Every structure is written in C-alpha cells, then in structure tokens.
Amino acid sequence: MRSWKNDKKDTFITNIDKDKLDIILNKLNVMQNTNDINNTIINIIVNEIGTLFQNSAQASFSAKQVHAYSKPVSNKNKHFQ
C-alpha cells in the first residue's frame, strides 16, 4: 500500500464528486433524524463513502495497473555451443 502524498491533497479534494458527496450527506441527515437505523443502511453509506474516496484517489494519484507476472524461463537447462 502506498503512503499518502501531501502534495496531491488538493487534487484529491478537487476530484471528489460533489454530487455524490451531497447525496451521501443527505442520507446521513435523514439517518440522523430517524429512529429507523440499521446495519444495512450504515453499511451502504460506508460503502458509498469508500467508493467516493477510491474514485477520487484513482483520479488524483493515477494508480498504476497491476499486470500479471510471469516467471522468467530459466537458462540452466539450455546447452550453449
């Protein structure tokens, strides 16, 4: 896992989808004003926050894609002339 890069902080904040953030905040406000709170609702909101941050991080830090690694072929069994 990579560590946080302070020089990218402003970019990360800028890349947060404000419309999705507003939707999450509205859900939290509704949840705060009701007695009908359960684990499912909380888990949905937490997942939405995580996705929001992941999308912003991906746009901000240009995460490299991980490629499958193939083991190099050994030369020890080859005969050289």
Side-chain angles (χ1 to χ4, degrees), residues 16-34:
I16 292 176
D17 185 327
K18 305 304 185 254
D19 293 332
K20 290 183 182 178
L21 179 60
D22 286 340
I23 291 169
I24 293 169
L25 290 173
N26 285 333
K27 288 179 181 181
L28 288 170
N29 285 330
V30 168
M31 194 172 76
Q32 183 179 14
N33 295 320
T34 184

Side-chain angles (χ1 to χ4, degrees), residues 4-5 8-16 53-63:
W4 178 261
K5 296 180 181 181
K8 297 282 188 170
K9 175 184 71 170
D10 292 333
T11 305
F12 176 82
I13 292 169
T14 301
N15 283 326
I16 292 176
F53 286 169
Q54 285 175 341
N55 292 342
S56 179
Q58 188 172 27
S60 303
F61 304 119
S62 300

